[in-house]
């Protein structure tokens, strides 16, 4: 569990031993835990980086273990601050990507100009994706928002994905948390993980996005209407914005197989925290459900549970109490 805080198994063992035996040095830790000197020193470096040990003022030249409650709370605060910074950067990246896309809105169907091509219709988009998948040399980054993928999309994607994975292509795939509620889509994501793909999920995602070898990118012309087609670009400025957008979304997501336990400080899951933030910002239940890729009933059920936990009689009161508790 502490690996989520950046502390591996060896680091946990060394930390626990120092707490139990404050007088132990490197030699004693090696003997007590059956570890090599290199392992112990690496673990001590890790603990120092996490601020779980510090130089002892009583015994100069030795390390003193920080109280676990204070140490872990400090780590969680730093992670929350880092997450907030990344989310801010993600918002800036979205705005930059939207601005870049607007510059190419004038392109005519299936013609190229300034390194970009407008692909009109699903057939044209599918053909370009298959062509780029055949030519990709090392990496494909993908963002797939929504709760579930159509069965036809999964059928078309499986042989393409399988071939890329067989060729040793690195696949980094982002799904929305809501896919965990779709049996077929979640099974497909698990299959990709088993085949070697890196799959993560997040409560909120940018629009559909494919980046091949960081040289070509495909984005929908209209995110609300996939049938409208896509824009394929290799223009450096737009690519840089889209790559930054993907990396920010990737860094705030969690691996598909990770345990989605509630935050230790608040008891909130990432989806619950995101829902509170959306509704506190004035978004309607319907709009929040669409953003999260879940049903309206699910949003209302989750919000009712949050209001009960907050002992709030209205959305407004729930927002105030959530802010007072540091949930927002």
């Amino acid at each position: 569990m502490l690996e989520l805080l950046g502390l591996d198994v060896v680091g946990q063992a060394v930390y626990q031993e120092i707490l139990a035996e404050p007088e132990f040095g490197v030699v004693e830790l090696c003997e007590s835990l059956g570890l090599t000197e290199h392992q112990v020193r690496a673990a001590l470096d890790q603990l120092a980086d996490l601020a779980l040990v510090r130089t002892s003022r009583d015994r100069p030249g030795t390390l003193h273990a920080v109280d676990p409650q204070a140490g872990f709370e400090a780590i969680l605060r730093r992670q929350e601050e880092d997450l907030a910074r990344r989310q801010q950067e993600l918002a800036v990246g979205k705005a930059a990507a939207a601005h870049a896309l607007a510059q190419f809105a004038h392109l005519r169907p299936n013609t190229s100009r300034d390194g970009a091509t407008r692909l009109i219709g699903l057939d044209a988009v599918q053909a370009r994706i298959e062509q780029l998948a055949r030519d990709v040399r090392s990496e494909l980054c993908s963002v797939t928002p929504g709760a579930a993928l159509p069965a036809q999309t999964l059928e078309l994607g499986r042989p393409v994905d399988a071939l890329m994975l067989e060729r040793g292509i690195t696949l980094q795939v982002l799904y929305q948390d809501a896919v965990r509620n779709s049996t077929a889509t979640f099974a497909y994501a698990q299959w990709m993980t088993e085949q070697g793909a890196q799959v993560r999920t997040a409560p909120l995602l940018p629009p559909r996005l494919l980046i091949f070898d960081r040289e070509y990118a495909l984005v929908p012309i209209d995110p609300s209407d996939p049938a409208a087609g896509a824009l394929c670009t290799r223009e450096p400025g737009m690519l840089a914005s889209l790559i930054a957008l993907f990396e920010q979304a990737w860094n705030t997501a969690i691996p598909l197989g990770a345990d989605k336990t509630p935050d230790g400080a608040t008891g909130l899951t990432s989806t619950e925290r995101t829902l509170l933030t959306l509704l506190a910002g004035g978004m309607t239940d319907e709009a929040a459900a669409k953003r999260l890729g879940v049903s309206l009933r699910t949003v209302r059920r989750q919000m009712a549970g949050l209001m009960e936990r907050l002992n709030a009689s209205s959305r407004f009161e729930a927002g105030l109490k959530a802010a007072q508790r540091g949930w927002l």
Side-chain angles (χ1 to χ4, degrees):
M1 180 63 72
L2 294 183
E3 291 181 357
L4 296 175
L5 301 180
L7 189 61
D8 62 22
V9 175
V10 176
Q12 294 177 42
V14 172
Y15 183 49
Q16 184 173 352
E17 193 70 9
I18 295 176
L19 287 169
E21 302 291 346
E23 304 294 328
F24 274 12
V26 173
V27 174
E28 291 81 6
L29 289 170
C30 290
E31 294 175 352
S32 176
L33 297 172
L35 300 173
T36 66
E37 180 179 348
H38 175 74
Q39 288 177 308
V40 169
R41 291 192 182 279
L44 291 173
D45 288 342
Q46 183 183 65
L47 291 168
D49 290 340
L50 293 171
L52 291 175
V53 297
R54 58 171 175 254
T55 302
S56 173
R57 299 178 64 181
D58 295 324
R59 296 175 291 110
T62 64
L63 293 175
H64 168 74
V66 174
D67 177 72
Q69 181 174 351
F72 294 155
E73 287 179 354
I75 292 174
L76 287 171
R77 283 197 301 272
R78 291 195 296 270
Q79 289 184 342
E80 288 177 348
E81 291 169 358
D82 186 51
L83 178 60
R85 177 184 57 80
R86 289 177 178 176
Q87 289 176 331
Q88 179 63 31
E89 292 174 351
L90 178 59
V92 173
K94 288 181 179 179
H99 176 72
L101 288 172
Q103 296 178 355
F104 294 90
H106 62 281
L107 289 174
R108 290 179 297 166
N110 303 324
T111 60
S112 297
R113 179 174 176 181
D114 298 330
T117 304
R118 283 173 67 90
L119 305 167
I120 303 303
L122 295 175
D123 290 336
V125 174
Q126 183 64 30
R128 179 58 61 89
I129 291 174
E130 291 176 352
Q131 178 256 314
L132 290 171
R134 289 194 302 269
D135 295 342
V136 66
R137 301 184 304 277
S138 61
E139 178 189 62
L140 168 61
C141 302
S142 170
V143 177
T144 306
L149 293 175
Q152 183 180 11
T153 299
L154 296 177
E155 292 173 4
L156 290 172
R158 188 180 293 269
V160 176
D161 291 335
L163 181 59
M164 286 191 288
L165 290 167
E166 288 176 5
R167 291 169 49 207
I169 304 300
T170 298
L171 264 61
Q172 291 186 309
V173 183
L174 270 173
Y175 285 109
Q176 204 151 0
D177 281 349
V179 302
R180 297 171 185 269
N181 302 321
S182 168
T183 302
T185 307
F186 187 61
Y188 187 83
Q190 288 181 310
W191 170 79
M192 292 189 68
T193 300
E194 292 166 357
Q195 301 303 310
Q198 302 173 35
V199 181
R200 295 186 180 185
T201 69
L204 296 178
L205 289 180
R208 182 90 164 98
L209 171 63
L210 293 170
I211 303 175
F212 296 85
D213 287 330
R214 304 193 174 222
E215 295 178 359
Y216 288 90
L218 267 76
V219 292
I221 292 174
D222 181 356
S224 64
D225 181 16
L231 180 70
C232 178
T233 181
R234 60 180 306 178
E235 195 277 322
M238 180 181 285
L239 274 173
S241 296
L242 293 173
I243 291 169
L245 177 63
F246 175 83
E247 290 178 343
Q248 290 301 324
W250 180 261
N251 289 335
T252 57
I254 65 171
L256 183 71
D259 182 13
K260 293 196 67 191
T261 54
D263 179 271
T266 65
L268 295 175
T269 65
S270 58
T271 301
E272 288 174 331
R273 183 187 294 277
T274 302
L275 175 59
L276 267 176
T277 302
L278 292 177
L279 296 180
M283 188 171 288
T284 64
D285 289 355
E286 291 80 1
K290 185 175 181 180
R291 286 289 305 277
L292 292 169
V294 298
S295 68
L296 178 59
R297 177 180 298 178
T298 297
V299 163
R300 288 177 173 168
R301 174 177 53 78
Q302 290 179 337
M303 193 59 204
L306 289 169
M307 290 176 65
E308 182 177 352
R309 287 163 60 185
L310 289 163
N311 193 26
S313 58
S314 68
R315 296 291 181 85
F316 179 74
E317 184 182 4
L320 287 178
K321 289 187 173 181
Q324 290 169 352
R325 293 190 185 188
W327 289 11
L328 296 176

